[in-house]
Coordinates of all heavy atoms in Angstrom, one line a residue:
M290 N 8.2 15.1 20.3 CA 8.6 15.2 21.7 C 8.4 13.8 22.3 O 7.4 13.5 23.0 CB 7.7 16.3 22.5 CG 7.7 17.7 21.8 SD 6.5 18.8 22.4 CE 6.8 18.8 24.2
H291 N 9.3 12.9 22.0 CA 9.1 11.5 22.2 C 9.2 11.2 23.7 O 8.5 10.2 24.2 CB 10.2 10.8 21.4 CG 10.1 11.0 20.0 ND1 11.0 11.7 19.3 CD2 9.2 10.7 19.0 CE1 10.6 11.8 18.1 NE2 9.5 11.2 17.8
A292 N 10.0 11.9 24.5 CA 10.1 11.6 26.0 C 8.8 11.9 26.6 O 8.3 11.2 27.5 CB 11.3 12.4 26.5
A293 N 8.2 13.2 26.2 CA 7.0 13.5 26.8 C 5.8 12.5 26.5 O 4.9 12.2 27.2 CB 6.6 14.9 26.3
A294 N 6.0 12.0 25.2 CA 4.9 11.0 24.7 C 5.1 9.7 25.7 O 4.0 9.2 26.1 CB 5.3 10.6 23.3
I295 N 6.2 9.3 26.0 CA 6.3 8.1 26.8 C 5.8 8.4 28.2 O 5.1 7.5 28.8 CB 7.9 7.7 27.0 CG1 8.4 7.2 25.6 CG2 8.1 6.7 28.1 CD1 9.9 6.7 25.6
E296 N 6.0 9.5 28.8 CA 5.5 10.0 30.0 C 3.9 9.8 30.1 O 3.3 9.3 30.9 CB 5.9 11.4 30.5 CG 7.4 11.4 30.8 CD 7.8 12.9 31.1 OE1 6.8 13.7 31.3 OE2 9.0 13.2 31.4
D297 N 3.4 10.3 29.0 CA 1.9 10.3 28.8 C 1.4 8.8 28.7 O 0.5 8.4 29.4 CB 1.3 11.0 27.7 CG 1.0 12.5 28.0 OD1 0.5 12.7 29.1 OD2 1.4 13.3 27.3
F298 N 2.1 8.0 27.9 CA 1.7 6.6 27.7 C 2.0 5.8 29.1 O 1.1 5.0 29.4 CB 2.5 6.0 26.6 CG 2.2 6.6 25.2 CD1 3.3 6.8 24.4 CD2 1.0 6.9 24.9 CE1 3.0 7.2 23.1 CE2 0.7 7.6 23.7 CZ 1.7 7.7 22.7
D299 N 3.0 6.2 29.8 CA 3.2 5.6 31.1 C 2.0 5.9 32.0 O 1.4 4.9 32.7 CB 4.5 6.1 31.7 CG 5.7 5.6 31.2 OD1 5.6 4.6 30.4 OD2 6.8 6.2 31.5
K300 N 1.5 7.1 32.1 CA 0.5 7.5 33.0 C -0.9 6.8 32.5 O -1.6 6.4 33.3 CB 0.3 9.0 32.9 CG -0.8 9.5 33.9 CD -0.5 9.3 35.3 CE -1.5 9.8 36.3 NZ -1.2 9.4 37.7
S301 N -1.1 6.8 31.2 CA -2.2 6.0 30.7 C -2.3 4.6 31.1 O -3.4 4.0 31.5 CB -2.3 6.1 29.2 OG -3.3 5.4 28.6
L302 N -1.0 4.0 31.1 CA -1.0 2.4 31.4 C -1.2 2.3 32.9 O -1.6 1.1 33.4 CB 0.2 1.9 30.9 CG 0.2 1.7 29.3 CD1 1.6 1.4 28.9 CD2 -0.9 0.7 28.9
E303 N -0.8 3.2 33.7 CA -1.0 3.2 35.1 C -2.5 3.2 35.4 O -3.0 2.3 36.3 CB -0.4 4.4 35.9 CG 1.1 4.2 35.9 CD 1.7 5.6 36.7 OE1 0.9 6.3 37.3 OE2 2.9 5.9 36.5
L304 N -3.3 3.9 34.6 CA -4.6 4.1 34.9 C -5.4 3.0 34.2 O -6.5 2.5 34.6 CB -5.2 5.4 34.3 CG -4.7 6.6 35.0 CD1 -5.0 7.9 34.3 CD2 -5.2 6.7 36.4
A305 N -4.9 2.5 33.1 CA -5.7 1.4 32.2 C -4.7 0.5 31.6 O -4.4 0.5 30.4 CB -6.4 2.1 31.0
P306 N -4.1 -0.5 32.5 CA -3.1 -1.4 32.0 C -3.7 -2.4 31.0 O -2.8 -3.3 30.5 CB -2.7 -2.0 33.2 CG -3.8 -2.1 34.2 CD -4.4 -0.6 33.9
F307 N -4.9 -2.4 30.6 CA -5.5 -3.3 29.7 C -5.4 -2.8 28.3 O -5.9 -3.5 27.3 CB -6.9 -3.7 30.1 CG -7.7 -2.4 30.3 CD1 -8.3 -1.7 29.1 CD2 -7.9 -1.8 31.6 CE1 -9.1 -0.5 29.3 CE2 -8.7 -0.7 31.7 CZ -9.2 0.0 30.6
R308 N -4.9 -1.6 28.1 CA -4.9 -0.9 26.7 C -3.7 -1.4 25.8 O -2.7 -0.9 25.9 CB -4.9 0.6 26.9 CG -6.1 1.1 27.6 CD -7.1 1.6 26.5 NE -6.7 2.7 25.8 CZ -7.1 3.2 24.7 NH1 -8.2 2.7 24.3 NH2 -6.6 4.3 24.2
S309 N -4.1 -2.4 25.0 CA -3.0 -2.8 24.0 C -2.6 -1.7 23.1 O -1.5 -1.5 22.7 CB -3.6 -3.9 23.1 OG -4.7 -3.5 22.4
F310 N -3.5 -0.9 22.7 CA -3.2 0.4 21.9 C -2.2 1.3 22.5 O -1.2 1.5 21.7 CB -4.5 1.2 21.6 CG -4.2 2.5 20.9 CD1 -4.2 2.5 19.5 CD2 -3.9 3.7 21.6 CE1 -4.0 3.7 18.8 CE2 -3.7 4.9 20.9 CZ -3.7 4.8 19.6
T311 N -2.2 1.4 23.7 CA -1.0 2.2 24.4 C 0.3 1.5 24.4 O 1.3 2.2 24.2 CB -1.6 2.7 25.8 OG1 -3.0 3.2 25.7 CG2 -0.6 3.6 26.4
Y312 N 0.2 0.3 24.6 CA 1.5 -0.5 24.6 C 2.3 -0.4 23.3 O 3.4 -0.2 23.2 CB 1.3 -2.0 24.9 CG 1.1 -2.2 26.5 CD1 -0.1 -2.5 27.0 CD2 2.2 -2.2 27.2 CE1 -0.2 -2.7 28.4 CE2 2.2 -2.4 28.7 CZ 0.9 -2.7 29.2 OH 0.8 -2.8 30.5
K313 N 1.5 -0.5 22.3 CA 2.1 -0.5 20.9 C 2.5 0.9 20.5 O 3.5 1.1 19.8 CB 1.1 -1.0 19.7 CG -0.1 -0.2 19.5 CD -0.9 -1.0 18.3 CE -2.2 -0.1 18.0 NZ -3.0 -0.8 16.9
R314 N 1.8 1.9 21.0 CA 2.3 3.3 20.7 C 3.6 3.6 21.6 O 4.6 4.2 21.0 CB 1.2 4.3 21.1 CG -0.2 4.3 20.4 CD 0.2 4.7 19.0 NE 0.5 6.0 18.7 CZ 1.5 6.5 18.2 NH1 2.5 5.7 17.8 NH2 1.7 7.9 18.0
R315 N 3.6 3.0 22.9 CA 4.8 3.3 23.6 C 6.1 2.5 23.0 O 7.2 3.0 23.1 CB 4.6 2.9 25.0 CG 5.7 3.4 26.0 CD 5.4 3.2 27.5 NE 5.3 1.8 27.8 CZ 5.1 1.2 29.0 NH1 4.9 2.1 30.0 NH2 5.1 0.0 29.2
A316 N 5.7 1.4 22.4 CA 6.7 0.6 21.8 C 7.5 1.4 20.7 O 8.7 1.4 20.6 CB 6.2 -0.7 21.2
A317 N 6.7 2.1 19.8 CA 7.3 3.0 18.9 C 8.1 4.1 19.4 O 9.1 4.4 18.9 CB 6.0 3.5 18.0
A318 N 7.7 4.6 20.6 CA 8.6 5.6 21.2 C 9.9 5.0 21.7 O 10.9 5.7 21.5 CB 7.8 6.3 22.3
Y319 N 9.7 3.8 22.3 CA 11.0 3.3 22.9 C 11.9 2.8 21.7 O 13.1 3.0 21.8 CB 10.7 1.9 23.6 CG 10.2 2.1 25.1 CD1 9.1 1.5 25.5 CD2 10.9 3.1 25.9 CE1 8.7 1.6 26.9 CE2 10.4 3.3 27.3 CZ 9.4 2.6 27.8 OH 8.9 2.7 29.0
F320 N 11.4 2.5 20.5 CA 12.2 2.1 19.5 C 12.9 3.4 18.9 O 14.1 3.2 18.5 CB 11.2 1.5 18.4 CG 12.0 1.0 17.2 CD1 12.4 -0.3 17.1 CD2 12.4 1.8 16.1 CE1 13.2 -0.9 16.0 CE2 13.1 1.3 15.0 CZ 13.4 -0.1 15.0
H321 N 12.3 4.4 19.0 CA 12.9 5.7 18.6 C 14.2 6.0 19.4 O 15.2 6.5 18.9 CB 11.9 6.8 18.6 CG 12.5 8.2 18.4 ND1 12.7 8.7 17.1 CD2 13.1 9.2 19.3 CE1 13.2 9.9 17.3 NE2 13.5 10.3 18.6
F322 N 14.0 5.7 20.7 CA 15.2 5.8 21.6 C 16.2 4.6 21.6 O 17.1 4.7 22.5 CB 14.7 6.2 23.0 CG 14.1 7.6 23.1 CD1 12.8 7.8 23.4 CD2 14.9 8.6 23.1 CE1 12.3 9.1 23.6 CE2 14.5 10.0 23.3 CZ 13.0 10.2 23.6
K323 N 15.9 3.8 20.7 CA 16.8 2.6 20.6 C 16.8 1.7 21.8 O 17.8 1.1 22.1 CB 18.3 3.0 20.3 CG 18.4 3.7 18.9 CD 19.8 4.0 18.6 CE 20.0 4.6 17.1 NZ 19.1 5.8 16.8
D324 N 15.7 1.9 22.6 CA 15.5 0.9 23.7 C 14.7 -0.2 23.3 O 13.6 -0.4 23.5 CB 14.8 1.7 24.8 CG 14.9 1.0 26.2 OD1 15.2 -0.2 26.2 OD2 14.7 1.7 27.2
Y325 N 15.5 -1.2 22.6 CA 14.8 -2.2 21.9 C 14.2 -3.3 22.8 O 13.1 -3.9 22.4 CB 15.8 -2.9 20.9 CG 16.4 -1.9 19.9 CD1 17.8 -1.7 19.9 CD2 15.5 -1.2 19.1 CE1 18.3 -0.7 19.0 CE2 16.1 -0.2 18.1 CZ 17.5 0.0 18.0 OH 18.0 0.9 17.2
D326 N 14.8 -3.5 24.0 CA 14.2 -4.5 24.9 C 12.8 -4.0 25.3 O 11.9 -4.8 25.4 CB 15.1 -4.6 26.0 CG 16.4 -5.4 25.7 OD1 16.4 -6.1 24.7 OD2 17.4 -5.3 26.5
K327 N 12.7 -2.7 25.7 CA 11.4 -2.3 26.2 C 10.5 -2.2 25.0 O 9.3 -2.5 25.2 CB 11.6 -0.8 26.8 CG 12.3 -0.9 28.2 CD 12.3 0.5 28.8 CE 13.0 0.5 30.2 NZ 13.0 1.8 30.8
A328 N 10.8 -1.8 23.8 CA 10.0 -1.8 22.7 C 9.5 -3.1 22.3 O 8.2 -3.3 22.2 CB 10.8 -1.3 21.4
L329 N 10.3 -4.1 22.4 CA 9.9 -5.5 22.1 C 8.9 -6.0 23.3 O 7.8 -6.7 23.0 CB 11.1 -6.5 22.0 CG 10.8 -7.9 21.6 CD1 10.2 -7.7 20.2 CD2 12.0 -8.7 21.6
A330 N 9.2 -5.6 24.5 CA 8.4 -6.1 25.6 C 6.9 -5.5 25.5 O 5.9 -6.1 25.8 CB 9.0 -5.7 26.9
D331 N 6.9 -4.2 25.1 CA 5.5 -3.5 24.8 C 4.8 -4.2 23.7 O 3.6 -4.4 23.7 CB 5.8 -2.1 24.6 CG 5.8 -1.2 25.9 OD1 5.7 -1.9 27.0 OD2 6.0 -0.1 25.9
I332 N 5.4 -4.5 22.6 CA 4.9 -5.1 21.5 C 4.3 -6.5 22.0 O 3.1 -6.9 21.6 CB 5.8 -5.4 20.3 CG1 6.2 -4.0 19.7 CG2 5.1 -6.3 19.2 CD1 7.3 -4.1 18.7
A333 N 5.0 -7.3 22.8 CA 4.6 -8.6 23.3 C 3.4 -8.3 24.1 O 2.5 -9.3 24.0 CB 5.7 -9.2 24.1
K334 N 3.3 -7.4 24.9 CA 2.2 -7.1 25.8 C 1.0 -6.8 25.0 O -0.2 -7.2 25.2 CB 2.4 -6.0 26.8 CG 1.4 -5.8 27.9 CD 1.4 -7.0 28.8 CE 0.4 -6.8 30.0 NZ 0.3 -8.1 30.8
A335 N 1.1 -6.1 23.9 CA 0.0 -5.7 23.1 C -0.5 -6.9 22.3 O -1.8 -7.0 22.2 CB 0.5 -4.6 22.0
V336 N 0.4 -7.8 21.9 CA 0.0 -9.0 21.2 C -0.9 -9.9 22.2 O -1.8 -10.5 21.9 CB 1.1 -9.8 20.7 CG1 0.8 -11.2 20.2 CG2 1.8 -9.0 19.4
E337 N -0.3 -10.0 23.4 CA -1.0 -10.8 24.5 C -2.5 -10.2 24.8 O -3.3 -11.1 24.9 CB -0.1 -10.8 25.8 CG -0.7 -11.4 27.0 CD 0.1 -11.2 28.3 OE1 1.2 -11.0 28.2 OE2 -0.6 -11.2 29.3
L338 N -2.5 -8.9 24.8 CA -3.7 -8.4 25.3 C -4.9 -8.4 24.2 O -6.0 -8.6 24.4 CB -3.6 -6.9 25.7 CG -2.9 -6.7 27.1 CD1 -2.5 -5.2 27.3 CD2 -3.8 -7.2 28.3
N339 N -4.4 -8.2 22.9 CA -5.3 -8.1 21.7 C -4.7 -8.8 20.6 O -4.1 -8.2 19.7 CB -5.6 -6.6 21.6 CG -6.7 -6.6 20.5 OD1 -7.2 -7.6 20.0 ND2 -7.1 -5.4 20.1
P340 N -4.6 -10.0 20.5 CA -4.0 -10.8 19.5 C -4.6 -10.5 18.1 O -3.8 -10.5 17.0 CB -4.2 -12.4 19.8 CG -4.5 -12.4 21.2 CD -5.2 -11.0 21.5
G341 N -5.8 -10.1 18.0 CA -6.5 -9.8 16.8 C -5.9 -8.5 16.2 O -6.1 -8.3 14.9
D342 N -5.3 -7.6 16.9 CA -4.7 -6.4 16.4 C -3.4 -6.6 15.9 O -2.4 -6.4 16.6 CB -4.8 -5.3 17.5 CG -4.3 -4.0 17.0 OD1 -4.1 -3.8 15.8 OD2 -4.1 -3.1 17.7
L343 N -3.3 -7.1 14.7 CA -2.0 -7.4 14.1 C -1.1 -6.2 13.7 O 0.1 -6.3 13.5 CB -2.2 -8.2 12.9 CG -2.8 -9.6 13.2 CD1 -3.2 -10.3 12.0 CD2 -1.8 -10.6 13.9
S344 N -1.7 -5.1 13.9 CA -0.8 -3.8 13.6 C 0.2 -3.6 14.7 O 1.2 -2.8 14.5 CB -1.8 -2.6 13.6 OG -2.3 -2.3 14.8
A345 N 0.1 -4.3 15.8 CA 1.1 -4.2 16.8 C 2.4 -4.7 16.3 O 3.4 -4.2 16.8 CB 0.7 -5.0 18.2
L346 N 2.4 -5.5 15.4 CA 3.6 -6.2 14.8 C 4.3 -5.2 13.8 O 5.4 -5.3 13.5 CB 3.3 -7.5 14.1 CG 2.8 -8.5 15.1 CD1 2.3 -9.8 14.2 CD2 3.8 -9.0 16.1
S347 N 3.5 -4.2 13.4 CA 4.1 -3.3 12.4 C 3.8 -1.9 12.7 O 3.8 -1.1 11.7 CB 3.5 -3.6 11.0 OG 2.1 -3.7 10.9
W348 N 3.7 -1.6 13.9 CA 3.3 -0.2 14.4 C 4.4 0.9 14.0 O 4.1 1.9 13.5 CB 3.0 -0.2 15.8 CG 2.3 1.1 16.2 CD1 2.8 2.2 16.9 CD2 1.0 1.5 15.9 NE1 1.8 3.1 17.0 CE2 0.7 2.7 16.4 CE3 0.0 0.9 15.2 CZ2 -0.5 3.4 16.4 CZ3 -1.4 1.5 15.1 CH2 -1.5 2.7 15.7

Side-chain angles (χ1 to χ4, degrees):
M290 302 168 64
H291 301 107
I295 289 177
E296 290 181 9
D297 270 318
F298 295 142
D299 286 345
K300 185 62 178 178
S301 176
L302 288 170
E303 287 178 15
L304 298 168
F307 52 84
R308 291 266 292 169
S309 63
F310 173 86
T311 310
Y312 278 106
K313 69 181 181 181
R314 294 298 286 122
R315 191 173 67 176
Y319 280 138
F320 187 88
H321 173 81
F322 283 113
K323 298 181 173 56
D324 196 336
Y325 302 120
D326 288 341
K327 288 184 178 179
L329 192 62
D331 273 358
I332 296 172
K334 190 66 176 178
V336 170
E337 174 191 333
L338 289 170
N339 187 3
D342 181 9
L343 295 166
S344 68
L346 298 170
S347 56
W348 195 252

